[in-house]
Amino acid sequence: RDPLWSRGLGDVYKRQIERLEEEKKEVAEQIKEVYAEAKAFGFDVKALRQVIRLRKVDKADREEQEMMLELYLLATGDA
């Protein structure tokens, strides 16, 4: 057996990871509930998710992505 496991260090990390995984599930459920509440109040959840996703991206990167998308749409005649 690995010496780190024999000193109990592996168990410490295992418990921390398991605890964090459980917290992650709880947070995911809370987020799901917030989206459901927003939908109940008439928000378009798909658009709201996109807004949240875009807010995570640096403004300059987002503008570059939007510019490239517009360029591709123009090039394919889909603009």
Side-chain angles (χ1 to χ4, degrees):
R1 195 168 181 188
D2 185 356
L4 292 176
W5 280 98
S6 63
R7 289 185 286 199
L9 293 176
D11 288 336
V12 170
Y13 290 120
K14 183 178 67 172
R15 282 193 300 275
Q16 281 182 320
I17 291 167
E18 289 171 343
R19 179 181 51 79
L20 291 170
E21 288 290 342
E22 186 60 34
E23 289 176 17
K24 185 168 71 170
K25 280 194 265 182
E26 292 171 5
V27 169
E29 184 60 34
Q30 291 170 356
I31 291 170
K32 183 178 173 183
E33 290 170 3
V34 171
Y35 278 117
E37 184 178 332
K39 183 176 182 177
F41 277 98
F43 285 91
D44 182 325
V45 172
K46 186 176 180 180
L48 184 56
R49 286 183 188 276
Q50 188 171 2
V51 168
I52 298 301
R53 185 173 50 252
L54 288 172
R55 287 176 50 93
K56 293 178 185 178
V57 177
D58 177 69
K59 185 177 179 182
D61 289 341
R62 187 174 68 230
E63 288 172 352
E64 182 180 342
Q65 290 173 10
E66 290 170 354
M67 183 182 70
M68 289 301 294
L69 176 61
E70 184 64 26
L71 179 66
Y72 274 71
L73 288 171
L74 288 170
T76 60
D78 294 321

